[in-house]
Amino acid sequence: MSIRLKQAERWVLSLVIGAWLLIGAAGAAEQPQIVILATGGTIAGQQKKPGEAGYVAGQLAVKVLIDAVPELREIAQVKGEQIASIGSQDMNDQVWLKLLRRIDELGKDQTVDGIVVTHGTDTIEETAFFLDLTVATDKPVVLVGAMRPATARGADGPLNLLNAVKIAAAPESHGRGVLVTLNEEIHNAREVTKTNTTEVEAFKSPDTGPVGVFAADHLHYYHAPGGERLHFELGDRADLPRVEIVYAHANMDAGLVNASAQSGAKGVVLAGVGDGNMSQSAMDALAALAKQGTVVVRSSRVGSGWVSRNVEVDDDALGFVASQDLIPQKARILLQLALTQTSDPAKVQAMFDRPSR
Ligand code: SIN
């Protein structure tokens, strides 16, 4: 069957199509431009057979993740770039520096409104904190992961990705530092930590709670952005100083402290018992390291609360730094960055005393 249109009808039809295309183009131009930098993780994980417990992280390309969430098009113009395809247990200084440099380029690009980073959940809090301390831009930078692989029944990645793009596209997200979103919550990089190995509700900010939530699909922040920012300029460094974490426990001897020094570490973070304590022999070994110029930071394995100076341990006499509210894996990152500038424990302590947000 062929449809014959009269000249006037053709005119009307071409006017309607033209107007429709113009409205579409104008709408697209008005949409925020969001770039998704993909690094791998369970959010890009694939099972051999859907429904199986086993899976491999970091299998699906960023385009597949974007195409799985058509609603993204209603919120933003989204572009994807593959930075890495790894499980986040393999995250390292080199990928961090690559991410940082790309985010800083996108920060300067006036056509870009916000940046999303897809990431494995195992070390998402570490990458977020590293970026929070180093990116120069005030544009939203949002890290997002998933607890279930993309092929799982009830995969949480698509909703988390949609929420991450909503956060990155929202003007009220500017100036809040690097954020992490999963499970309809928004956390700041300094506070957030993984607290459960398998559940979808795995992330908490134990001392402060989340900075925002999604309720009925709407983004809500509890407070206005604020706080002075601790910032490290890394220039063209190819790596970061080596810092080890030593985990304290009952019956602890000096073995791991000494091994960390032999590994070439310029700094050691103690994941101490209680408020950052350790056995006498571990303390003696750490004090000997501090005397030789290794920076020793006392943190706690407890997971929340403060490690303050000179309470149970005489930090002044032993030359130690107290981690304040930073858990060991975050204290390690701040110490790595601090060591790019100084190995004077007093100056390092001053950096730990200043909240990054
Ligand atoms: C990973 O961290 O890459 C694996 C685990 C996850 O993403 O949940």
Side-chain angles (χ1 to χ4, degrees):
M1 187 182 79
S2 70
I3 300 172
R4 292 223 180 113
L5 297 177
K6 291 190 193 133
Q7 178 70 23
E9 287 168 337
R10 281 204 291 272
W11 253 94
V12 172
L13 189 62
S14 54
L15 270 176
V16 169
I17 291 173
W20 181 74
L21 286 174
L22 270 176
I23 289 165
E30 273 166 25
Q31 278 189 315
Q33 308 281 319
I34 304 299
V35 178
I36 301 181
L37 304 177
T39 68
T42 295
I43 193 166
Q46 204 173 18
Q47 299 154 309
K48 274 204 203 100
K49 260 202 274 148
E52 255 185 14
Y55 71 96
V56 183
Q59 296 297 292
L60 302 178
V62 63
K63 182 172 179 338
V64 180
L65 304 188
I66 293 171
D67 289 349
V69 192
E71 298 88 338
L72 291 176
R73 283 186 227 120
E74 291 160 26
I75 297 159
Q77 293 278 300
V78 172
K79 279 191 211 144
E81 292 177 25
Q82 200 76 40
I83 297 288
S85 296
I86 55 176
S88 75
Q89 66 277 8
D90 288 322
M91 189 49 67
N92 57 42
D93 292 355
Q94 283 64 44
V95 181
W96 278 356
L97 291 166
K98 189 173 172 188
L99 262 178
L100 166 63
R101 285 174 187 138
R102 186 63 188 129
I103 291 171
D104 274 344
E105 279 170 6
L106 295 169
K108 287 185 201 135
D109 181 339
Q110 297 199 342
T111 65
V112 173
D113 295 288
I115 299 126
V116 169
V117 178
T118 60
H119 199 291
T121 62
D122 289 349
T123 62
I124 195 170
E125 67 200 69
E126 294 177 49
T127 301
F129 191 47
F130 166 75
L131 293 173
D132 192 56
L133 292 168
T134 54
V135 294
T137 183
D138 254 2
K139 289 179 189 173
V141 177
V142 187
L143 272 71
V144 60
M147 291 299 290
R148 297 178 181 152
T151 52
R153 275 191 289 273
D156 50 332
L159 178 61
N160 291 346
L161 185 62
L162 181 64
N163 285 343
V165 170
K166 282 184 185 172
I167 297 166
E172 61 268 39
S173 300
H174 281 245
R176 291 183 182 272
V178 173
L179 300 167
V180 175
T181 187
L182 283 99
N183 196 39
E184 306 217 280
E185 289 186 339
I186 308 152
H187 295 266
N188 91 16
R190 186 181 179 99
E191 298 296 332
V192 68
T193 189
K194 188 171 184 177
T195 62
N196 192 282
T197 54
T198 53
E199 288 172 11
V200 168
E201 189 183 350
F203 282 81
K204 298 216 180 332
S205 294
D207 287 328
T208 60
V211 296
V213 288
F214 282 88
D217 276 351
H218 290 292
L219 164 60
H220 300 279
Y221 285 109
Y222 292 118
H223 306 286
E228 204 192 332
R229 188 155 167 234
L230 186 56
H231 177 73
F232 293 87
E233 194 59 61
L234 294 181
D236 57 4
R237 288 189 72 97
D239 54 22
L240 297 171
R242 185 180 179 107
V243 174
E244 300 288 354
I245 298 176
V246 173
Y247 200 92
H249 50 84
N251 204 28
M252 184 185 195
D253 66 17
L256 281 183
V257 174
N258 293 332
S260 68
Q262 281 152 19
S263 78
K266 303 281 177 260
V268 175
V269 172
L270 175 78
V273 293
D275 62 351
N277 219 333
M278 70 222 92
S279 67
Q280 190 60 51
S281 55
M283 192 180 305
D284 293 344
L286 285 167
L289 285 193
K291 227 173 179 178
Q292 288 156 24
T294 305
V295 180
V296 176
V297 175
R298 288 190 308 111
S299 179
S300 172
R301 67 180 199 176
V302 170
S304 64
W306 289 75
V307 173
S308 307
R309 282 188 76 77
N310 302 324
V311 180
E312 280 193 89
V313 175
D314 190 344
D315 295 297
D316 288 349
L318 298 168
F320 294 164
V321 172
S323 73
Q324 307 293 18
D325 60 325
L326 287 184
I327 57 177
Q329 57 269 40
K330 307 269 177 102
R332 191 187 81 87
I333 293 162
L334 179 51
L335 182 52
Q336 281 189 295
L337 294 169
L339 285 166
T340 64
Q341 297 185 357
T342 180
S343 53
D344 175 345
K347 290 190 177 142
V348 175
Q349 183 67 65
M351 295 175 190
F352 275 84
D353 291 347
R354 257 182 71 179
S356 51
R357 278 279 146 198

